[in-house]
Amino acid sequence: MFRRTRRLALISAIAASTIVLTACAGAADPEPSAPVGEPDPDATLQVGLVLEPTNLDIRHTSGAALEQILIDNIYEGLVTRSQDNEIEPRLASDYEVSTDGLTYTFTLNDGIAFHSGAALTSADVVASYEAVRTDATLQGNAEFASIASITAPDPTTVQIVLSAPNQNFLFSLTGPAGLVFQTGDTTDLKTAENGTGPFTLTRWNKGSAITFARNEAYWGEPAGVAEVEFQYIPDFTAGVNTALDGGVQVLTAVDPNLAPQLEDSGDFTLTTGRTTDKATLAFNNAKAPLDDVRVREALRLAIDHDALVAAVGAGSTLYGPIPELDPGYEDLSDVVSYDPEKAKELLAEAGQEDLELTLTIPSFYGTTVPKVLISDFQKVGVTLDVDSVEFPTWLEDVYTNRDFDLSFVLHVEPRDFGNFANPDYYFGYDNAEVQSLYAQALAEVDPDASAELLAKAARIVSEDHAADWLYNGATITAVSPLVTGFPEDSINSRINLSGVTVAAPQ
């Protein structure tokens, strides 16, 4: 039986953020300098973000913009995850997993209360999870398909029994599916909240800012600041100007091309955080000529990945579908290299010497990546037309209708390898061996053995050239020396602010 525990007082500061709208990654920056002055418990932390949520109902609405600010700050689950994507207890003080991988037993921490003042018990957990399991409109419904039963043996214990082992089950509890809500609560979650986290929602000025206040009745360690103001600044230049003018103490998703302005000012330290963002050049595997593996391989061989990373200003090369922070990662640079001459040979062999393709890309990603691809493909005789569209159009044409040749998008979700084991996903990739290996990986109780199966499947996907992974994104964050404890890694998924402090200016 596997067991994980945590002291009540230990609440790890984990990272997050919204979808990265520009390419970021690279080597780690130097450690931030020591904070100036003593932490001010009455301080307000102002954070610049890019994507604002359309509403706050994380139960019914998907998107990194919601998870980024709400999970661990407003809402909590039995478990959470660290900046390294390691699973940690949260509302649960500890948990046990049976040796057959079917039964999960959680023990709740003492004294947990919702923001309404109502005490949380195991009955609230059961009701929350039963709703997800049975209501297809709730986020995470598919992730709970393997649950056979959810029970509360006593007010502080929750037991979940699966119908089959699922290596990703605990991880699914770190997302929206695992959040706990008050039984029978009638709060309009689109505009209000009733969580258990270290912050409460105080106001939302739509199109501008969302403000949280410290939850003085929080069951764990109190937050280090009295207030957090998230300012939404979709224009990268405007974000930098706001930071330089003192409007925010932290600016996330800094454009690499604008980063020197912040660094040279002396008012900020820049950190480069790891993410699970996969800058994916999707191939329509089900559509000619991309249904020919020779064409797909040729396109990958034509791309100078090192030069592309340099062009976007930050990043690291990634030659397969699993990033470093996810189980099953393996350096797959041996699968493909920059070789334009071989690319030409493969295209000739496939009868595609004068190939013309269209790249469909959401307009907010800018022009850097398309320009590099146009240039690289032109060198091997491929003409690339770029169709820059609004995101709703991309969702309709590419994601839903699969009417595309090539597409580019940042897939930010962790542990999403299952997309390549799903023939109905917009990639159109259908490989029975990959699907079998993925199913075995999920059913494998031993996490190391599961990761080995994932790695094997990922190598097959890369050798099939099912897509190209242009780079593994990172996020550049500018942090004032007055701020300490701000997360660095994985902040495109979430930003746990409970441990952040702000010093009073000297």
Side-chain angles (χ1 to χ4, degrees), residues 210-284:
I210 293 176
T211 305
F212 293 168
R214 178 168 52 221
N215 175 13
E216 301 294 352
Y218 184 56
W219 60 272
E221 289 291 321
V225 294
E227 192 174 63
V228 177
E229 181 182 84
F230 298 104
Q231 295 186 23
Y232 291 96
I233 314 170
D235 181 83
F236 294 114
T237 300
V240 169
N241 291 335
T242 299
L244 293 174
D245 290 341
V248 295
Q249 299 127 322
V250 177
L251 182 66
T252 66
V254 176
D255 187 319
N257 297 314
L258 301 176
Q261 297 181 41
L262 294 163
E263 192 167 36
D264 294 345
S265 73
D267 295 330
F268 293 91
T269 296
L270 299 187
T271 64
T272 302
R274 299 171 299 165
T275 74
T276 56
D277 298 355
K278 300 157 291 290
T280 305
L281 179 64
F283 301 151
N284 191 339

Side-chain angles (χ1 to χ4, degrees), residues 361-374:
I361 180 173
S363 57
F364 53 67
Y365 284 119
T367 61
T368 300
V369 169
K371 285 180 178 178
V372 171
L373 294 177
I374 289 171

Side-chain angles (χ1 to χ4, degrees), residues 11-20 45-51 53 58 63-76 80-83 85 90 174 197-199 210 212 223 225 228-232 250-254 271 274-275 475-479 483-501:
I11 302 175
S12 62
I14 72 174
S17 153
T18 128
I19 186 171
V20 175
L45 173 67
Q46 296 165 311
V47 181
L49 301 178
V50 176
L51 281 184
I58 196 169
L66 278 175
E67 294 188 33
Q68 180 184 38
I69 64 170
L70 295 183
I71 294 181
D72 289 335
N73 292 319
I74 297 292
Y75 299 109
E76 299 174 299
T80 187
R81 60 181 186 252
S82 69
Q83 293 186 55
N85 277 345
R90 185 74 177 199
T174 69
F199 294 96
I210 293 176
F212 293 168
V225 294
V228 177
E229 181 182 84
F230 298 104
Q231 295 186 23
Y232 291 96
V250 177
L251 182 66
T252 66
V254 176
T271 64
R274 299 171 299 165
T275 74
T475 182
I476 299 176
T477 304
V479 183
V483 177
T484 187
F486 196 88
E488 295 184 15
D489 295 331
S490 302
I491 65 172
N492 296 331
S493 303
R494 59 187 60 180
I495 307 175
N496 182 340
L497 295 173
S498 60
V500 179
T501 61

Side-chain angles (χ1 to χ4, degrees), residues 278-314:
K278 300 157 291 290
T280 305
L281 179 64
F283 301 151
N284 191 339
N285 286 256
K287 177 182 178 182
L290 293 160
D291 58 349
D292 188 329
V293 67
R294 295 171 296 182
V295 174
R296 300 195 301 269
E297 181 179 3
L299 294 179
R300 297 188 73 192
L301 291 166
I303 300 169
D304 186 342
H305 291 84
D306 290 327
L308 189 148
V309 169
V312 300

